[in-house]
């Protein structure tokens, strides 16, 4: 699990994906990534695979994933995502808490 989830908007405008760890990042990268031939994508893919296998710490995968998402303009910054908070529920906090329970 990532210490802090990463929010991306890989497909339809306004449809966010909260990525909570390397395995989740791999799913997004394999199914919804807009550009798969970039060096940052390849580096993030490798880092996420290694983190999912326990070979590198999750923060290494998270950093690479964030850099790749930023490069293809699908990264959603926390302050932008918080504008879409429903009522008093913070989706990032809810995601973190859900990860702790399971």
């Amino acid at each position: 699990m990532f210490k802090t989830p990463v929010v991306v908007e890989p497909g339809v405008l306004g449809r966010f994906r909260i990525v909570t760890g390397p395995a989740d990042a791999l799913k997004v990268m394999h199914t919804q990534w807009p550009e798969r031939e970039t060096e940052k994508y390849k580096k993030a893919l490798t880092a996420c695979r290694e983190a999912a296998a326990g070979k590198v710490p999750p923060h290494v995968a998270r950093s690479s994933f964030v850099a790749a998402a930023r490069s293809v303009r699908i990264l959603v910054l926390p302050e932008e995502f918080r504008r879409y908070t429903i009522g008093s529920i913070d989706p990032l906090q809810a995601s973190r808490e859900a990860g702790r329970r399971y």
Side-chain angles (χ1 to χ4, degrees):
M1 297 292 284
F2 294 151
K3 192 172 187 177
T4 303
V6 179
V7 180
V8 293
E9 191 176 18
V12 179
L13 189 62
R15 297 207 60 165
F16 301 110
R17 180 80 186 258
I18 299 172
V19 179
T20 59
D24 199 21
L26 285 169
K27 288 178 193 173
V28 171
M29 295 180 81
H30 285 299
T31 62
Q32 297 177 298
W33 207 259
E35 297 176 35
R36 298 180 183 179
E37 297 302 319
T38 68
E39 286 303 312
K40 288 186 180 184
Y41 172 83
K42 293 173 186 175
K43 183 178 177 182
L45 193 61
T46 298
C48 288
R49 283 181 181 149
E50 290 179 352
K55 295 178 182 178
V56 299
H59 71 87
V60 172
R62 185 184 186 282
S63 295
S64 290
F65 182 76
V66 167
R70 182 176 281 128
S71 74
V72 292
R73 297 185 177 119
I74 65 168
L75 180 67
V76 178
L77 299 175
E79 54 273 10
E80 292 175 30
F81 187 65
R82 291 190 202 300
R83 290 187 294 157
Y84 297 96
T85 301
I86 301 168
S88 61
I89 299 171
D90 180 342
L92 289 176
Q93 184 63 32
S95 173
R96 281 189 219 114
E97 289 172 4
R100 288 187 189 133
R101 278 188 258 145
Y102 298 110

